[in-house]
Amino acid sequence: MKVLVSIKRVIDYNVKIRIKPDNSGVETQNVKMSMNPFDEIAVEEAVRLKEKGFATETIAVTFGVTQAQETLRTAMAMGIDRAIYVPVETDLQSLTVAKALKKIVEKEQPGLVIMGKQAIDGDSGQAGPMLAGLLGWPQATFASRVEVADGRVRVVREVDGGLETLEAPLPALITTDLRLNEPRYASLPNIMKAKKKPLENLTLADLGVEPEPRLKMLRVDEPAKRQAGIKVPDVATLLDKLRNEAKVIG
Amino acid sequence: MSILVVADHNHQTLRPATLNAVGAATKLGQPITVLVAGHQAAAVAQAAAVLPGVVKVLHADDARYAHFLAEPLAALIAQLAPGYTHVLAAATAQGKNVMPRAAALCDVALLADITSVVSADTFVRPIYAGNALATVQSSDKIKFITVRMTAFEPVATTGGAAAVETVGATPCAIGTQFISQELSKSERPELTAARVVVSGGRALGSADAFKTVLEPLADKLNAAIGASRAAVDAGYVPNDYQVGQTGKVVAPELYIAIGISGAIQHLAGMKDSKVIVAINKDGDAPIFSVADYGLVGDLFQIVPELVKQLA
């Protein structure tokens, strides 16, 4: 069984973002970029499935600017076997990503697709369920445990009230939550080896997919800043403030 | 305009998040229809029918909706959606799971986690962990939307008188099976709807400390208990306690952050709280930059003292 993961290059989670002066978007020039943390978890899970003998081959896909190929190399340094790079000038919207991934899935025929539950830039969290819907596949989002056996996958999901366990026949789609695994660091020898792994180029035209954006970003603004308050010296003062100034406790 | 709100419920009662979603729908316009898909959920359909502003309730009752699996629910929503200009749901675990799938089945985009309605086609939604607000216009014929609960006032639970109409289940042949669930049992208010939230971080140091230090304070304030990612990762509390960009978003009247340093991912989940209190031994912790009242010191001394003085 092949396992396909989709990854996105995003502004590193530690970077404090800056909004462009003309409010047209968020500054991505000269900013540290990394693999979306949830996608790292997806890569790790795919690699582990291969190490355990469930996956025969692991493939990573990304849509992005030229430098996004470095993120694919990182995935291959973590253990992914080969990569598919689809060049795009600007961020694709989730529905387009889902449609393009559908074409790649039809071509590669993986038994499992693993994606991050959300990208930490757009925070939309929809490409995964959208792809599952388009494919007519079972989906298990927010996975915190994945077990494959006998042509089925059993997934423990993180839901609002706690945990839920689902089982689905393969092929299926999974999106990762934080506690599914701890992604490994790529070792230097593996980074060197990754440079020789196959990286295929495919265009959206090759896939027969038009970008057709449905959502137009009119502007991006800074949220209202919260004023830092005061430090209080002791518990008695804190309670006095909460009772008589903020009036939030009786 | 014609709005469909997908109810979030447990077959017996509507979850509070549904009231916020109907609140958001009210900002958009009228008429509002609520879809209650469940199993033996007639009581929920009745509860939805008396929400102010709701003119119709669609009630789909079938065993295949018993566990709110995404596949049959999305098929149902996608079948009903063409009759509406807007399809809304709260951005709960269920809404986030089902709505994108349903949107894709209708070949439309989804506006996730909106915090404001600008017009019938334009909405504001947070991006980058709430560090930027995007104003987004949709050109789709049907607007699929999930709603950030804390950004919209809930509607009242009485006052309406909608008709309940039964709708059949939509066929769905995808074989996902529900196996089991482990829900955290708690007598406390629900985290996303609580008036007061007491949240603990890694500095608590153990699951035991959540029980012996945090719980007495939460008891005194009738508060929900939350946690930072670090505390959840360390296994001190279950996953559903996590507040932040990738956990739950809360905006209570009072949020007390105890032993939480305040990573931007955590701030994303609580910085819209009305009053924030931070208790931390590191006076330079970023949590103090959003706190109205900060107390620097040892939480193991401060919190019991707080409990004592509240008595």
Side-chain angles (χ1 to χ4, degrees):
Chain A
M1 164 178 91
K2 289 187 199 174
V3 176
L4 185 89
V5 295
S6 146
I7 63 180
K8 186 175 185 184
R9 180 174 175 267
V10 298
I11 295 180
D12 187 83
Y13 77 102
N14 270 319
V15 170
K16 187 163 166 33
I17 58 138
R18 278 175 295 125
I19 290 165
K20 289 183 185 169
D22 65 355
N23 291 89
S24 64
V26 168
E27 192 56 71
T28 53
Q29 296 293 317
N30 304 317
V31 174
K32 186 183 177 203
M33 307 290 280
S34 308
M35 193 188 305
N36 178 42
F38 290 99
D39 301 346
E40 281 190 327
I41 297 171
V43 166
E44 176 66 32
E45 197 64 20
V47 172
R48 288 187 191 186
L49 283 170
K50 177 149 186 213
E51 287 167 348
K52 288 182 205 152
F54 293 117
T56 50
E57 188 183 32
T58 55
I59 308 159
V61 184
T62 200
F63 305 85
V65 294
T66 313
Q67 297 90 324
Q69 291 172 87
E70 295 161 18
T71 315
L72 288 173
R73 292 286 173 205
T74 305
M76 290 191 283
M78 288 170 70
I80 293 287
D81 297 317
R82 65 183 168 92
I84 299 170
Y85 167 60
V86 183
V88 294
E89 298 295 319
T90 50
D91 252 10
L92 293 181
Q93 295 186 358
S94 307
L95 184 61
T96 308
V97 169
K99 286 180 177 181
L101 284 173
K102 177 171 185 264
K103 298 287 183 174
I104 293 172
V105 167
E106 284 165 356
K107 179 167 171 268
E108 296 286 349
Q109 302 276 321
L112 200 57
V113 174
I114 311 179
M115 296 170 71
K117 78 163 178 178
Q118 75 193 70
I120 60 162
D121 50 1
D123 282 336
S124 277
Q126 43 184 283
M130 281 185 153
L131 173 59
L134 294 178
L135 288 165
W137 281 16
Q139 72 182 53
T141 52
F142 325 140
S144 71
R145 199 164 78 221
V146 172
E147 287 162 20
V148 177
D150 305 327
R152 297 178 73 80
V153 61
R154 186 176 275 232
V155 178
V156 178
R157 306 178 57 227
E158 298 202 359
V159 294
D160 283 342
L163 298 171
E164 175 187 86
T165 306
L166 299 181
E167 201 179 282
L170 297 173
L173 180 137
I174 291 167
T175 73
T176 60
D177 218 315
L178 289 170
R179 282 164 282 275
L180 179 57
N181 60 48
E182 267 191 55
R184 70 194 67 189
Y185 290 100
S187 66
L188 192 58
N190 285 342
I191 292 171
M192 301 312 289
K193 245 194 273 175
K195 292 186 177 166
K196 298 204 179 83
K197 289 186 177 177
L199 193 157
E200 177 188 1
N201 270 257
L202 276 179
T203 63
L204 284 179
D206 293 336
L207 296 168
V209 174
E210 294 268 347
E212 53 166 0
R214 311 294 183 82
L215 304 176
K216 189 170 158 199
M217 181 101 90
L218 300 182
R219 57 180 292 126
V220 173
D221 293 281
E222 194 127 5
K225 275 258 182 310
R226 213 185 155 98
Q227 295 292 330
I230 55 163
K231 295 235 171 81
V232 292
D234 52 37
V235 167
T237 315
L238 175 63
L239 283 175
D240 175 59
K241 294 281 185 194
L242 292 178
R243 284 192 176 115
N244 302 315
E245 193 176 84
K247 297 189 194 330
V248 285
I249 59 171
Chain B
M1 179 179 295
S2 168
I3 304 160
L4 181 68
V5 177
V6 181
D8 202 311
H9 63 92
N10 62 4
H11 307 291
Q12 279 130 34
T13 54
L14 281 173
R15 287 195 209 286
T18 307
L19 306 179
N20 304 94
V22 174
T26 310
K27 296 243 166 180
L28 264 170
Q30 287 285 348
I32 300 169
T33 301
V34 174
L35 170 65
V36 175
H39 185 44
Q40 298 170 344
V44 180
Q46 289 307 325
V50 297
L51 298 180
V54 174
V55 298
K56 198 200 286 183
V57 172
L58 299 179
H59 182 202
D61 212 289
D62 194 281
R64 77 187 73 190
Y65 305 128
H67 299 293
F68 307 109
L69 295 177
E71 297 82 354
L73 266 180
L76 175 69
I77 295 165
Q79 194 189 21
L80 297 170
Y84 300 87
T85 55
H86 297 77
V87 181
L88 272 67
T92 54
Q94 184 194 314
K96 292 187 221 173
N97 187 37
V98 172
M99 289 292 277
R101 183 176 181 113
L105 295 178
C106 295
D107 190 27
V108 300
L110 173 82
L111 292 132
D113 215 17
I114 65 159
T115 52
S116 167
V117 174
V118 178
S119 70
D121 66 2
T122 305
F123 305 88
V124 177
R125 54 177 306 270
I127 56 176
Y128 291 94
N131 290 304
L133 296 173
T135 304
V136 183
Q137 185 177 37
S138 162
S139 59
D140 277 319
K141 213 162 65 189
I142 314 168
K143 276 94 181 148
F144 267 74
I145 294 166
T146 58
V147 171
R148 179 170 287 201
M149 287 86 85
T150 54
F152 295 92
E153 287 292 319
V155 293
T157 51
T158 55
V164 177
E165 193 179 296
T166 304
V167 294
T170 304
C172 174
I174 302 165
T176 309
Q177 253 185 307
F178 171 85
I179 303 295
S180 63
Q181 61 185 10
E182 282 171 58
L183 300 185
S184 307
K185 286 197 186 67
S186 171
E187 299 298 311
R188 298 184 188 284
E190 198 191 315
L191 185 52
T192 53
R195 208 188 69 83
V196 181
V197 173
V198 172
S199 237
R202 199 199 323 248
L204 266 292
S206 68
D208 195 49
F210 264 82
K211 282 203 179 61
T212 56
V213 180
L214 240 56
E215 284 191 11
L217 180 61
D219 288 343
K220 280 273 184 278
L221 296 168
N222 188 29
I225 294 185
S228 69
R229 177 189 171 182
V232 177
D233 282 357
Y236 302 162
V237 284
N239 63 284
D240 52 301
Y241 283 47
Q242 188 179 326
V243 171
Q245 179 185 16
T246 62
K248 286 178 182 159
V249 177
V250 302
E253 295 276 299
L254 174 61
Y255 186 90
I256 306 181
I258 298 170
I260 292 178
S261 61
I264 53 172
Q265 290 79 9
H266 185 76
L267 301 186
M270 46 65 80
K271 67 180 176 179
D272 291 328
S273 304
K274 190 165 160 245
V275 174
I276 296 173
V277 170
I279 298 169
N280 201 301
K281 68 169 190 252
D282 174 8
D284 294 327
I287 191 74
F288 288 114
S289 69
V290 299
D292 299 282
Y293 305 109
L295 189 46
V296 180
D298 180 6
L299 72 91
F300 294 99
Q301 279 165 13
I302 291 171
V303 178
E305 182 62 25
L306 200 51
V307 173
K308 204 168 110 198
Q309 293 199 25
L310 276 166

